[in-house]
Amino acid sequence: MRPAPPSFRCLITAGPTREHLDPVRFLSNGSSGKMGYALARAAADRGWQVDLVSGPVALAAPAGVDVHPVISADDMLAACEPRFARCDLFIAVAAVADYRPQTFHAEKQKRPKDALTLELVPTVDILKTLAARKAPRQLVVGFAAETHDVEAYARRKLAEKHLDWIVANDVSGTETGMNADANTVLLLGANGARQEFGPAPKLQVADFILRNVVP
Ligand code: CTP
């Protein structure tokens, strides 16, 4: 296969999202954004045009990458939508909060004296929404963060979200996966490909993913 030209466009989501209860409190996920930022850097190093839609993280923008900061899942989808239509490769790495409070309070709520029950509603599935609009020329890659039955759950997400590839990682330990500097991944393709990689620094993992997905 011919190498992707420098005009190749890549869209990546990274980091956690936040769903606010009030101006100071929110629901979120434990995610440093390191894997998504490493992928953005590896993509920019290939000369590609890279849009990185990022939840709140403590990481510097990789050189040559257009970073679009967002807070909530709805913000993330809105930032991705126009950019998805013109990308060649979409990689969803973000740890999107699965629920948001049904009610947002514009003023900070006082600490309750008794137990508090929150009514939560599901957030939008960004990856599934965009993958459903995929043109034949586009490639869509998802991540699956799992603590058990990693391969089985990843295969299910590959099929249910209509992806070309899924990167499964075991987040049950602390050495690799979320927040760590290294990762061990299992890359599964809709074409039947199956490859393991790592443990390795996240930039090497990013390079492994890109060279398999865009050979
Ligand atoms: N994802 C997304 N929008 C969501 C939830 C997930 O775009 N609201 C994407 C993630 O970026 C990742 C993939 O979907 O690429 C799988 O995310 P993961 O959290 O592993 O799975 P979920 O679909 O949330 O399922 P579960 O939490 O039940 O494992």
Side-chain angles (χ1 to χ4, degrees):
M1 211 177 271
R2 282 183 296 128
S7 59
F8 195 77
R9 294 196 82 102
C10 180
L11 172 65
I12 298 172
T13 65
T17 57
R18 289 180 183 172
E19 301 298 335
H20 275 268
L21 287 81
D22 68 22
V24 298
R25 303 183 180 96
F26 53 82
L27 301 172
S28 192
N29 276 321
S31 164
S32 62
K34 287 174 187 168
M35 192 63 240
Y37 276 60
L39 272 159
R41 191 176 147 193
D45 285 349
R46 284 167 156 71
W48 300 349
Q49 296 177 39
V50 185
D51 284 307
L52 178 60
V53 176
S54 175
V57 296
L59 298 172
V65 170
D66 288 327
V67 180
H68 311 280
V70 295
I71 304 287
S72 69
D74 279 349
D75 296 343
M76 187 169 269
L77 179 60
C80 285
E81 274 179 322
R83 298 177 173 99
F84 178 77
R86 54 178 189 260
C87 80
D88 300 294
L89 170 64
F90 173 53
I91 313 179
V93 198
V96 181
D98 289 324
Y99 293 93
R100 66 178 162 79
Q102 190 161 41
T103 310
F104 169 72
H105 299 279
E107 294 179 334
K108 186 189 167 199
Q109 297 299 287
K110 298 315 290 176
R111 178 155 53 103
K113 300 280 172 290
D114 302 313
L116 171 70
T117 303
L118 286 175
E119 202 73 47
L120 302 177
V121 293
T123 54
V124 61
D125 190 323
I126 299 161
L127 175 58
K128 195 170 181 178
T129 303
L130 295 177
R133 298 178 197 166
K134 189 171 95 77
R137 63 170 181 84
Q138 292 180 304
L139 284 169
V140 176
V141 182
F143 268 67
E146 311 291 349
T147 57
H148 58 285
D149 298 329
V150 177
E151 183 160 351
Y153 281 127
R155 284 195 187 283
R156 189 189 293 179
K157 286 175 190 171
L158 178 70
E160 282 180 355
K161 301 199 190 199
H162 304 289
L163 310 177
D164 297 297
W165 297 89
I166 194 150
V167 184
N169 60 339
D170 188 333
V171 291
S172 58
T174 53
E175 302 275 295
T176 67
M178 270 183 165
N179 295 314
D181 290 320
N183 211 354
T184 303
V185 296
L186 169 65
L187 178 66
L188 301 170
N191 62 0
R194 184 189 186 284
Q195 284 225 57
E196 287 175 78
F197 189 80
K202 286 186 172 172
L203 192 56
Q204 285 181 28
V205 175
D207 201 63
F208 160 80
I209 293 166
L210 294 185
R211 71 172 178 264
N212 277 280
V213 169
V214 188

